[in-house]
Amino acid sequence: MTIQQVKGTQSFSRGIDVLQIISDHAKPIIFNDILKESSLTRPTLYRILSSLEEEGLVHKTNSKHYRLGSRLISLAHNALTQIDIRRIAFTALSELRDETGETVHLAIRSRDMMVYVDKFESKEIVRMTSMVGTLIPFYSSSVGKAYLSGIEDNQLNEILKNLELLPHKPETKANLDKIYKDIALTNKNGYSFDNEENENGIICFGANIKDNTSFPVASVSVSIPTFRLKKDKSIYWKPLLSKCDEISKLLGYMNKEDDNY
């Protein structure tokens, strides 16, 4: 009996082979060198590289060299951390919920959005309707702004260049100028802020979690109904920053201020 190859597997395998060739080189590689190392025809390789570039898996430089794309880097980081991030962060985020008295979310990147992977519900009577698995835009959420504030400028620009700016709410302004200003403010304050941009009556403070390479692998938010918001906002963002730093250290992150060498 002849086993038929699943449709698309050959193309997928070829794409993986091309990614492996690029990955095996310490420096960006030109098209002809990739061609020499593959068993592909020139038109086939052009087609595969174009598809990989369109998906953000490879990046073609101005000098027409190919390197791994930022999306692939993000996927690799997520693959290494998202399995364990909930377990590692559980105790700290439970304590954050208890200390602030408000709902805490843990989110990771999912392509051009963030997705909630854990939720620590407030013990108050009025709670948020969000659920694990909910997708949230980068630009109108505290977890998204916190994530974007932690990545390098070239990665940030590449993400924003391809981002579809659709407001989560009709009154939410979505433009690149505001996004860059929000990111700058996040870096200045150390935490991000969502002023009812995703849900009416809900204000959120956010911060990212970093790994041993200083790359943000997740974000955390504390969400508060406006009627319960206390005048002293530091009672939300101070423990938030403390717990995110605690989790980051568990992942091997070392703050420069903590490095005495």
Side-chain angles (χ1 to χ4, degrees), residues 86-242:
R86 292 178 64 186
R87 176 181 58 80
I88 293 170
F90 183 86
T91 299
L93 298 188
S94 295
E95 292 172 350
L96 178 60
R97 182 268 316 278
D98 293 343
E99 189 171 343
T100 61
E102 300 297 347
T103 298
V104 171
H105 292 100
L106 175 66
I108 62 172
R109 181 182 175 185
S110 177
R111 299 194 67 175
D112 294 333
M113 300 187 82
M114 298 294 287
V115 59
Y116 291 142
V117 294
D118 214 343
K119 179 183 181 181
F120 299 79
E121 192 77 74
S122 168
K123 296 177 181 179
E124 298 288 342
I125 297 175
V126 178
R127 303 176 179 180
M128 288 190 65
T129 59
S130 58
M131 300 188 318
V132 171
T134 300
L135 289 167
I136 328 98
F138 276 127
Y139 50 85
S140 60
S141 66
S142 62
V143 288
K145 295 174 188 179
Y147 179 89
L148 293 178
S149 72
I151 61 179
E152 296 180 353
D153 288 345
N154 62 332
Q155 294 174 303
L156 173 63
N157 294 333
E158 193 166 333
I159 289 174
L160 296 184
K161 178 180 66 176
N162 299 312
L163 205 60
E164 189 176 6
L165 299 178
L166 297 175
H168 194 61
K169 301 192 316 179
E171 62 270 30
T172 300
K173 295 180 180 179
N175 60 71
L176 287 177
D177 185 56
K178 183 181 184 303
I179 295 172
Y180 280 113
K181 286 181 179 178
D182 284 345
I183 293 170
L185 185 61
T186 297
N187 283 319
K188 178 182 177 181
N189 292 335
Y191 60 87
S192 59
F193 183 59
D194 160 15
N195 189 14
E196 299 185 70
E197 294 165 60
N198 271 303
E199 188 174 342
N200 287 327
I202 300 293
I203 283 177
C204 304
F205 297 89
N208 61 46
I209 295 171
K210 297 181 175 68
D211 66 6
N212 63 319
T213 68
S214 298
F215 189 88
V217 294
S219 295
V220 177
S221 67
V222 177
S223 303
I224 314 104
T226 52
F227 72 86
R228 225 165 38 217
L229 186 69
K230 294 181 172 60
K231 186 175 182 180
D232 181 7
K233 311 299 189 300
S234 68
I235 66 172
Y236 306 113
W237 61 260
K238 279 187 177 179
L240 168 68
L241 293 180
S242 176

Side-chain angles (χ1 to χ4, degrees), residues 24-140:
D24 288 341
H25 287 260
K27 296 181 179 180
I29 182 174
I30 61 174
F31 179 90
N32 285 338
D33 287 343
I34 300 174
L35 189 65
K36 289 177 185 176
E37 294 188 34
S38 71
S39 58
L40 303 173
T41 63
R42 184 174 291 269
T44 299
L45 180 57
Y46 266 123
R47 185 171 64 252
I48 290 172
L49 284 171
S50 295
S51 297
L52 292 173
E53 188 178 7
E54 185 177 348
E55 292 296 328
L57 299 175
V58 300
H59 174 73
K60 184 164 69 173
T61 68
N62 292 333
S63 59
K64 297 185 179 180
H65 285 66
Y66 291 89
R67 62 170 174 78
L68 297 180
S70 62
R71 182 181 169 199
L72 192 63
I73 296 170
S74 174
L75 287 171
H77 275 87
N78 283 346
L80 289 171
T81 59
Q82 68 178 309
I83 296 174
D84 288 333
I85 192 66
R86 292 178 64 186
R87 176 181 58 80
I88 293 170
F90 183 86
T91 299
L93 298 188
S94 295
E95 292 172 350
L96 178 60
R97 182 268 316 278
D98 293 343
E99 189 171 343
T100 61
E102 300 297 347
T103 298
V104 171
H105 292 100
L106 175 66
I108 62 172
R109 181 182 175 185
S110 177
R111 299 194 67 175
D112 294 333
M113 300 187 82
M114 298 294 287
V115 59
Y116 291 142
V117 294
D118 214 343
K119 179 183 181 181
F120 299 79
E121 192 77 74
S122 168
K123 296 177 181 179
E124 298 288 342
I125 297 175
V126 178
R127 303 176 179 180
M128 288 190 65
T129 59
S130 58
M131 300 188 318
V132 171
T134 300
L135 289 167
I136 328 98
F138 276 127
Y139 50 85
S140 60

